[in-house]
Amino acid sequence: MKASDRFPVSTSLLRRLAYASIVANVAIVVTGGAVRLTASGLGCPTWPRCTDASYTTTPEMGVHGMIEFGNRLLTFAVGIIALAVVLAVLLHRPRRRGLLPLAVAVLLGIPAQAVIGGITVLTNLNPWVVGLHFLASMVVIAAAYALWRRIGEPDGPAVAVVPGPLRTLALVTTVVSASVLVVGTWVTGSGPHAGDGGAARNGLDPEQISQVHADGVFLLIGLSVALVFAFRAVGATDAARTAVVLVAVELGQGVIGFVQYFTDLPALLVGAHMLGSCLVLLATLSVLWSTRERRPVTAPTPTATPTPAADRVTAAA
């Protein structure tokens, strides 16, 4: 008996596991932020060991060691969930086209993230590497989201449900959203939350780079509002609803950003802003997905086979 027969995996279970993978990857972004915001970035001063003599934290390392080591342990939990998703995809019947590459991409993204995290420690929390660590998490979250949405779709070809120019506008909005995330890491790299008192900063002027980041946010909100009205104008109700959610998330994230800037970046608000970055990404991807849909594959209509003339004569006789 095949493993898929002994351990059947339903579509609903598969989708729940994929959703859990999204949540886990967002959670590790937030806990990674907690490591930096508590100055625990070098709580484990080396990698892959926590110290030169131990893979685990020691009492002498104090609370910073516990926080950093705890975040490393969470990586294993996220990896276990990603592995469970891959196994569920393999056991699911009928086998779904396109699911396995996405599931494997998420799974491979976890150790890749761990390596980048190790490089951040080995480079004494170089701000550019720290920013790359965050952006790599965004890529893994995007892949996990794509998998979750793909599981809920039929296997037919993707068909646009809005006019071409509006799909292009949604793509442009997605690119701008990604660029805002990138510039946001530059802002973080210029600010006070380095993850450790001795870590270097990227040398950018905090006020100037914050202004560039704010300009990008204003552009993103403007594009998102335009999408709301454009989708409504063509009767794309579902797409308009997702765009409204995106605008709401962006406004909430913008409020947090401005408050944290004018209150000297309190750690709690900075952590909330990191969570908000993940939510902005997910809301942006939701808008992009709403501009197209997959339809069920239809079986070809059988055509009658012409009867040869000799057979018709025989049948008539």
Side-chain angles (χ1 to χ4, degrees):
M1 181 180 292
K2 294 181 179 179
S4 58
D5 296 329
R6 295 180 59 187
F7 307 102
V9 174
S10 65
T11 300
S12 61
L13 174 58
L14 181 57
R15 201 154 194 249
R16 285 196 295 269
L17 285 171
Y19 186 80
S21 182
I22 297 174
V23 173
N25 279 284
V26 170
I28 202 167
V29 169
V30 176
T31 59
V35 170
R36 180 167 56 83
L37 295 170
T38 57
S40 302
L42 295 178
C44 287
T46 188
W47 187 89
R49 294 173 182 259
C50 193
T51 69
D52 291 334
S54 174
Y55 282 98
T56 63
T57 185
T58 61
E60 293 77 17
M61 300 171 68
V63 66
H64 294 309
M66 293 175 60
I67 293 173
E68 166 64 8
F69 182 69
N71 189 61
R72 293 188 183 188
L73 284 181
L74 185 59
T75 301
F76 289 98
V78 176
I80 289 171
I81 294 174
L83 178 60
V85 173
V86 172
L87 294 176
V89 167
L90 293 173
L91 293 174
H92 182 264
R93 291 294 182 272
R95 180 68 62 84
R96 295 288 307 282
R97 176 167 54 90
L99 297 187
L100 187 59
L102 287 171
V104 171
V106 174
L107 177 61
L108 294 181
I110 309 305
Q113 268 292 73
V115 171
I116 297 173
I119 294 173
T120 65
V121 173
L122 297 177
T123 57
N124 293 318
L125 305 182
N126 181 289
W128 300 106
V129 182
V130 172
L132 178 62
H133 192 42
F134 172 81
L135 294 175
S137 289
M138 297 297 103
V139 173
V140 175
I141 290 172
Y145 180 84
L147 175 62
W148 178 70
R149 290 297 298 258
R150 186 70 184 85
I151 292 170
E153 298 175 330
D155 287 329
V159 179
V161 296
V162 298
L166 293 190
R167 179 149 173 82
T168 300
L169 181 58
L171 287 169
V172 170
T173 303
T174 304
V175 172
V176 172
S177 181
S179 68
V180 167
L181 290 175
V182 172
V183 177
T185 66
W186 301 349
V187 176
T188 299
S190 69
H193 296 294
D196 184 79
R201 302 286 71 206
N202 59 22
L204 299 175
D205 181 83
E207 186 172 342
Q208 291 181 358
I209 196 62
S210 294
Q211 183 61 58
V212 172
H213 182 56
D215 291 341
V217 171
F218 289 137
L219 175 60
L220 177 60
I221 293 175
L223 290 171
S224 302
V225 171
L227 282 173
V228 172
F229 288 102
F231 287 152
R232 286 179 174 174
V234 299
T237 306
D238 291 340
R241 189 179 299 113
T242 61
V244 169
V245 172
L246 174 59
V247 172
V249 173
E250 289 167 349
L251 291 176
Q253 177 74 332
V255 168
I256 294 173
F258 275 105
V259 172
Q260 72 171 7
Y261 180 79
F262 289 108
T263 55
D264 296 325
L265 302 174
L268 186 61
L269 285 182
V270 175
H273 201 56
M274 293 185 69
L275 173 60
S277 297
C278 298
L279 298 181
V280 168
L281 172 65
L282 292 171
T284 303
L285 293 175
S286 179
V287 170
L288 187 61
W289 249 260
S290 71
T291 63
R292 31 73 77 205
E293 66 179 12
R294 290 183 183 272
R295 295 168 183 169
V297 178
T298 55
T301 304
T303 56
T305 303
T307 305
D311 291 345
R312 291 198 297 270
V313 171
T314 303

